[in-house]
Amino acid sequence: MSSALRLRDYLLAGVTSAILLWAGFNVWFHFGENYRKALHSISVSPAHWQVVEGNGYATRESLTVTDPGRFGYAVAVGQLSEPVSYAQIEEIRVSFRARVDHHGLSLGVASSPNLTTASTFNVGRVDDATASVLASDLSPDPDDFSFIILEISGSSLPIPNLTDARLYRSRPGFWKLQALLIKGVVDFRPWTQRSVNYLESPSRVLRVSPALTVLVWAILAILLLAAWASARGLRLRVALSTMSVLLLGWLFLDVAWQITLSGRHVEAIDQYRGKSTLEKRAQEIDSGVHAFVQQLRSVVNDSSRPFVIFGDSNFTHLRARYFAVPQPSISYRGPPRPVWLARLRPGDILVALNLPASPVSIPLPIEDNGDLRRTRMNVDVSEMPGADSSLNERDGRPLPVWLLESPWLAPEPGVWRLQVELDSPERGGWVRLNLLARSDMRDDPRLLARREFFLHDGQSTVLSISFALTDGQQILFRLQQVETGDLIAGDAWLEPLENDQELELLSSNGEPPFLIARKLLATDVGLAWEIL
Amino acid sequence: MKALVFALAALMIVRWLGMLVEVSLRPLFPWDAWQAYGLAAKAWFYHGQLDILANGREWYEADGPVYASNAIRHPPGVGLIQLWMAQALGRWDDALVNLPWAVLPGAMAFAMYGMFRQARLGVVPAMIVVWIGLTIPFYNVHTVLAGYGDIWVGVFLCVAVGTLHFLVRDRDMMLMVPLLAAVAGLLMMKESGLFWLPPLIAGSLASVLAWRWVLAAVLGSVMLVLSLSLLREGGMINAVLDPLVSGSGRAIHPLDVHVWKELWKHLFLQGNWNLLWSLILLPALLAPGKGVLADRALRALTIIMIIAFLMLAVTFGFTDISRNVLDGTRVNRLLLHIVPSLILFGGFLMSKVIERKFSTCEVQSR
């Protein structure tokens, strides 16, 4: 019995202590200026100040006014982090690094930065370096303000730096204090849950506030503890009471969670019930990306064609990559770099999503369409410099050498495709085909197009690169081994391509090297080209 | 008591049905699920072969169709589960490929309940513990976040721990089959499954070796890991020492209290775990130490839990993962792996406590 009484006594002592603490705090709060210690003042960092009349600058430590304005009069404005109600504030106080009693000071508030609704008043001195104004001396219109105004005038002496500005809250009445206490203990604002796709989706508001649930649980737990107080056996009683309180808490929090979860289930049912996969995707935040990829797939109509996707964010390009399957694909964030463009193969589909500035496409600089007159042009590689060269190594690293370099060739203007047979009887590796052009024999050669290709061990292939040639231009190509390998170049030839209206020059920044590409799709979401 | 059992069953069924509906309707949406596992499964489904994933460089070097995928660094388990569903359906359905995630909580509930009853825990306490396990908010979230592997790691680890308990208790070698299957499942789901092997091995050793050998094995392993870390640039030791010595700030050292404060918030203040971390302390406090350690099966599990949580503490506080604790991206997911096992352990402890209580009562009544 005595142990039962002891537990009840503990409970009573706990409740009594809580009441005494609450009462003591209320008395202490209302005594003298203690409320200023209990209620946080609002500080405006010097970094958030700006001199609007005269000259000066703000740092994290202080605001410096270097020159007063036209009439020896300076005005500085400090911005609050959020609007404050006039009724909440009792006093505004500013502190300077040194005495300011040679200057005339006014302090005030404004709701907008253009100070049209400003209200100021001459300050009272707290000490030599601190000045203040009472909120009751101001009459702001409207009631909320977001800016503090400091006006300085009246002396040719340098103005000391402002180091601190602070708004002291007004003393709340009894009931307002109780409301503040409850709000301090229980956060009644909406609680949110972070979305898993937090890069793209906003947080979700929980339907039942956990704070409210905990409050109800705490009240019931006290009642439950009181009920267990009469049970026999101290250890059992402690165990049972603790466990029952925790299980009760679990149940309450779980019910709150169930409500949130059920809400989400209902949303899912409303949103997706009876819909196909395509219809479901049409409702998602990335429906534009999905629609674009689906449209592109139907335009391409060949699920073996690789997609190389560039998007403005990780979310965009990775989502597009997922939607693109069964197309083979790779994707990147940001605009394409020249090295990636060089590795695109004929037939690859280049996709740019939400990237208006890059890649840059330019209309072909060829007007006529006399392609039919042009015929295949063979290039004899056997006499070319470097035809029998092999890749050198220095310190174990390969030196890029020309595997093959053609003489200057002068095909007719138009769109051409250069093809070079390549064979790697033993060891393959990366090769690079550079195409250089000049308009005149005196011109320096300029890189026109580039392609990089990987050759597997024992593989034979035809490496090709497309380019557009204008009137009078000559070209030269260089085949270069990038990695050690054992490559043999075979025949090379130029093949005319039909110049249709869809062809464009494509590069990462509008400068060579260019790819020849056919535009397949252009929507608000993105662009797609087929590489030739 | 019957009413309580039915009420708990009803609560669990309501929770499970809701999740089943949502998983079967909502298209695959969690980040890693679609950008790694889901993409791999979809590619496997359409091409009928597994070796078609590549990293960036391999993608350009490949001859046939390949898919650049972040899944190449993960084991294939999650993708294979989705592939299994897609093959059963005969098409790729973004929502229905995730059905196993909805079934998993039910499976875990039955498995846990069965193991508790095997451990001679009463129907009511067994139902209460299963209810707790099934209604943990973070566990529910990961069920609905169908497509992630963490929940599978947790369930496989739980089955491995439970099977080990009964293997040690009953000496039935047939239990090696589910134990090895669970370990294989654990390693198939995520690379972090490997993280849980050392505690499992230590627990197994604790059940057959004397205490001094267990201690020697644990200390030896710790020394080995530390030595290897010292040899490897950027290893764990460097991660700890570097900021202290050079102040480079590459990793966060344990003196940074923010990590522990954040961990405290995740465990006790936020809604992720309901009151699990408060509740789990109770059987631990009530469990008579000697009684638990004298029981070889419980001793094995105690060692597993101690080592697992020590490893987690080191990971959270002493390695780069501490950054993920601060930004909240990789703290609860790692805990999710061990939580089902922890609940199972809690249930077994309760069973032991109740068993001892009743045996004491019987002795007194005689």
Side-chain angles (χ1 to χ4, degrees):
Chain A
M1 190 66 187
S2 60
S3 61
L5 275 176
R6 214 181 303 149
L7 190 57
R8 196 175 300 154
D9 290 346
Y10 286 142
L11 276 174
L12 272 173
V15 174
T16 313
S17 305
I19 292 171
L20 283 173
L21 276 172
W22 169 78
F25 178 78
N26 272 274
V27 171
W28 174 84
F29 184 88
H30 287 286
F31 187 74
E33 292 206 341
N34 286 337
Y35 67 97
R36 285 208 169 173
K37 294 175 190 161
L39 300 175
H40 291 293
S41 55
I42 301 167
S43 172
V44 184
S45 160
H48 295 142
W49 283 79
Q50 175 180 358
V51 178
V52 294
E53 178 70 42
N55 291 315
Y57 59 89
T59 65
R60 200 174 285 180
E61 286 76 32
S62 64
L63 171 77
T64 306
V65 179
T66 50
D67 293 309
R70 282 164 294 176
F71 308 106
Y73 171 78
V75 179
V77 175
Q79 186 172 10
L80 301 171
S81 56
E82 55 185 33
V84 173
S85 165
Y86 164 70
Q88 286 178 7
I89 300 303
E90 184 177 65
E91 185 186 2
I92 303 169
R93 200 176 271 195
V94 284
S95 301
F96 296 87
R97 189 156 285 161
R99 54 190 298 166
V100 283
D101 51 359
H102 295 102
H103 298 85
L105 295 177
S106 295
L107 266 172
V109 294
S111 59
S112 67
N114 59 16
L115 312 184
T116 50
T117 55
S119 168
T120 57
F121 198 78
N122 289 341
V123 298
R125 306 283 168 168
V126 177
D127 56 45
D128 286 349
T130 310
S132 79
V133 67
L134 292 174
S136 55
D137 291 332
L138 305 170
S139 50
D141 179 31
D143 197 36
D144 285 358
F145 60 90
S146 304
F147 299 90
I148 309 176
I149 305 155
L150 172 65
E151 295 172 356
I152 308 166
S153 60
S155 173
S156 57
L157 291 171
I159 301 164
N161 292 357
L162 180 140
T163 53
D164 188 35
R166 205 165 280 276
L167 280 71
Y168 289 95
R169 294 179 191 273
S170 53
R171 185 200 300 261
F174 177 79
W175 291 112
K176 202 165 182 186
L177 174 62
Q178 305 318 306
L180 282 174
L181 282 175
I182 291 173
K183 276 185 198 168
V185 176
V186 184
D187 192 347
F188 286 104
R189 290 171 301 175
W191 286 56
T192 56
Q193 187 179 25
R194 193 167 77 178
S195 164
V196 283
N197 285 329
Y198 61 93
L199 287 177
E200 285 287 323
S201 312
S203 296
R204 301 173 70 89
V205 175
L206 293 179
R207 284 169 189 256
V208 182
S209 162
L212 200 63
T213 316
V214 169
L215 193 68
V216 177
W217 166 42
I219 293 166
L220 283 172
I222 291 168
L223 297 176
L224 197 69
L225 279 174
W228 279 118
S230 57
R232 283 164 183 257
L234 182 64
R235 185 170 174 162
L236 181 67
R237 200 147 24 89
V238 170
L240 286 176
S241 53
T242 313
M243 189 173 276
S244 55
V245 164
L246 287 174
L247 287 177
L248 183 76
W250 189 288
L251 182 67
F252 268 86
L253 290 168
D254 191 53
V255 169
W257 168 238
Q258 178 70 62
I259 293 169
T260 295
L261 205 54
S262 300
R264 194 190 141 102
H265 300 329
V266 170
E267 274 174 30
I269 293 168
D270 287 347
Q271 202 175 348
Y272 301 118
R273 184 183 49 191
K275 290 184 174 148
S276 68
T277 302
L278 283 179
E279 288 167 335
K280 285 177 184 177
R281 285 294 178 204
Q283 299 180 330
E284 301 285 313
I285 50 171
D286 52 359
S287 56
V289 174
H290 180 257
F292 181 88
V293 172
Q294 292 309 312
Q295 204 180 338
L296 181 61
R297 286 200 59 229
S298 67
V299 170
V300 173
N301 198 22
D302 178 356
S303 60
S304 67
R305 301 279 289 278
F307 282 11
V308 181
I309 302 163
F310 298 88
D312 63 331
S313 68
N314 277 334
F315 186 79
T316 307
H317 81 83
L318 290 170
R319 286 300 268 182
R321 194 202 289 189
Y322 174 73
F323 294 142
V325 180
Q327 306 291 150
S329 58
I330 191 167
S331 65
Y332 301 91
R333 187 183 68 178
R337 284 160 46 188
V339 62
W340 293 328
L341 292 182
R343 289 186 176 186
L344 294 180
R345 297 152 292 200
D348 284 359
I349 308 296
L350 174 67
V351 181
L353 297 168
N354 302 324
L355 289 171
S358 180
V360 177
S361 59
I362 304 167
L364 285 185
I366 304 160
E367 287 178 4
D368 70 38
N369 198 13
D371 304 297
L372 294 177
R373 292 197 308 273
R374 294 181 290 141
T375 53
R376 173 177 158 141
M377 185 175 161
N378 289 322
V379 184
D380 183 11
V381 300
S382 60
E383 299 300 320
M384 285 186 193
D388 55 352
S389 68
S390 60
L391 199 66
N392 296 324
E393 283 191 50
R394 182 189 293 164
D395 302 330
R397 297 178 64 189
L399 284 175
V401 295
W402 310 131
L403 184 67
L404 206 64
E405 182 173 308
S406 77
W408 285 103
L409 307 167
E412 289 179 48
V415 183
W416 291 90
R417 175 180 285 154
L418 168 68
Q419 311 219 72
V420 183
E421 281 181 351
L422 269 179
D423 188 19
S424 67
E426 290 176 14
R427 218 155 32 119
W430 280 95
V431 287
R432 181 179 297 149
L433 182 59
N434 280 341
L435 197 84
L436 294 94
R438 66 179 183 187
S439 298
D440 192 286
M441 289 189 63
R442 286 163 298 181
D443 275 356
D444 286 333
R446 192 177 175 210
L447 183 66
L448 184 65
R450 165 177 287 174
R451 175 152 288 154
E452 291 188 352
F453 190 84
F454 186 80
L455 216 65
H456 291 273
D457 298 347
Q459 185 186 359
S460 295
T461 192
V462 176
L463 179 55
S464 71
I465 190 168
S466 302
F467 59 96
L469 216 57
T470 52
D471 207 7
Q473 267 193 318
Q474 294 180 324
I475 56 150
L476 169 153
F477 68 86
R478 283 175 183 160
L479 193 63
Q480 177 188 344
Q481 276 183 244
V482 182
E483 290 176 338
T484 47
D486 179 23
L487 305 181
I488 298 170
D491 288 342
W493 65 94
L494 286 165
E495 206 172 69
L497 290 179
E498 194 178 338
N499 174 20
D500 64 51
Q501 295 301 312
E502 303 294 324
L503 293 191
E504 292 178 336
L505 290 176
L506 206 64
S507 80
S508 59
N509 54 6
E511 296 293 319
F514 289 114
L515 289 167
I516 302 284
R518 175 177 287 116
K519 188 175 274 179
L520 296 179
L521 190 60
T523 73
D524 292 344
V525 176
L527 296 155
W529 296 267
E530 176 193 17
I531 305 301
L532 259 62
Chain B
M1 283 299 165
K2 248 186 189 175
L4 179 63
V5 169
F6 280 118
L8 290 174
L11 284 174
M12 285 191 275
I13 289 170
V14 167
R15 176 67 47 89
W16 179 71
L17 281 177
M19 294 191 293
L20 178 69
V21 168
E22 172 143 2
V23 170
S24 59
L25 286 175
R26 191 181 288 279
L28 189 68
F29 79 99
W31 187 276
D32 280 354
W34 52 262
Q35 67 109 357
Y37 308 113
L39 187 140
K42 201 173 172 187
W44 291 336
F45 174 72
Y46 280 111
H47 283 275
Q49 61 185 87
L50 296 177
D51 57 340
I52 49 168
L53 304 180
N55 64 25
R57 185 186 166 94
E58 290 165 354
W59 192 88
Y60 287 104
E61 293 179 354
D63 250 347
V66 284
Y67 297 83
S69 167
N70 296 332
I72 53 167
R73 60 193 170 90
H74 298 307
V78 173
L80 287 176
I81 290 170
Q82 292 173 325
L83 177 65
W84 172 40
M85 285 292 103
Q87 285 183 325
L89 284 165
R91 64 192 159 88
W92 181 262
D93 186 307
D94 266 343
L96 293 179
V97 291
N98 298 321
L99 267 185
W101 273 260
V103 176
L104 196 62
M108 198 190 78
F110 281 117
M112 272 192 163
Y113 183 78
M115 287 194 273
F116 288 143
R117 296 293 291 141
Q118 273 287 322
R120 294 185 277 278
L121 192 64
V123 173
V124 173
M127 282 296 278
I128 290 175
V129 183
V130 172
W131 168 64
I132 284 170
L134 205 70
T135 54
I136 291 172
F138 201 72
Y139 188 79
N140 302 149
V141 166
H142 265 252
T143 305
V144 182
L145 285 179
Y148 273 2
D150 300 279
I151 196 168
W152 291 91
V153 174
V155 170
F156 278 122
L157 184 61
C158 177
V159 172
V161 166
T163 315
L164 180 67
H165 176 266
F166 294 115
L167 179 66
V168 175
R169 192 191 72 174
D170 302 338
R171 310 256 167 198
D172 179 359
M173 293 313 285
M174 285 305 287
L175 287 170
M176 283 296 283
V177 177
L179 175 62
L180 291 177
V183 171
L186 181 69
L187 299 176
M188 283 279 281
M189 288 300 147
K190 279 192 88 170
E191 56 276 42
S192 50
L194 201 64
F195 184 86
W196 303 107
L197 272 193
L200 270 179
I201 292 169
S204 310
L205 288 176
S207 63
V208 291
L209 295 178
W211 268 112
R212 58 179 180 279
W213 292 113
V214 175
L215 201 65
V218 170
L219 283 176
S221 307
V222 170
M223 293 294 286
L224 184 70
V225 169
L226 291 183
S227 312
L228 289 174
S229 303
L230 267 176
L231 291 174
R232 190 178 141 255
E233 194 188 352
M236 192 174 73
I237 294 297
N238 285 350
V240 176
L241 292 181
D242 187 65
L244 290 173
V245 177
S246 68
S248 72
R250 217 157 40 84
I252 296 165
H253 58 78
L255 294 177
D256 189 341
V257 291
H258 294 298
V259 174
W260 304 106
K261 269 169 69 180
E262 205 58 35
L263 201 56
W264 163 263
K265 263 169 65 181
H266 281 293
L267 298 184
F268 291 96
L269 298 186
Q270 293 181 340
N272 298 314
W273 302 103
N274 202 326
L275 297 171
L276 178 77
W277 302 102
S278 313
L279 205 57
I280 207 72
L281 293 174
L282 209 63
L285 290 175
L286 287 176
K290 280 183 183 172
V292 169
L293 296 179
D295 183 320
R296 278 180 176 269
L298 277 180
R299 188 167 83 186
L301 267 58
T302 309
I303 292 289
I304 291 175
M305 289 302 139
I306 289 172
I307 293 182
F309 279 95
L310 277 176
M311 282 171 61
L312 277 178
V314 169
T315 307
F316 286 148
F318 292 73
T319 70
D320 277 353
I321 299 282
S322 52
R323 292 185 197 284
N324 302 125
V325 175
L326 291 175
D327 65 21
T329 52
R330 226 178 346 168
V331 48
N332 292 311
R333 276 203 280 170
L334 269 176
L335 288 167
L336 185 67
H337 297 178
I338 191 69
V339 158
S341 308
L342 183 67
I343 292 170
L344 195 72
F345 178 57
F348 289 161
L349 275 183
M350 259 178 75
S351 151
K352 187 78 185 170
V353 170
I354 293 169
E355 190 181 297
R356 282 175 65 86
K357 187 83 193 162
F358 276 105
S359 62
T360 316
C361 291
E362 277 174 26
V363 170
Q364 282 171 351
S365 65
R366 280 172 202 164

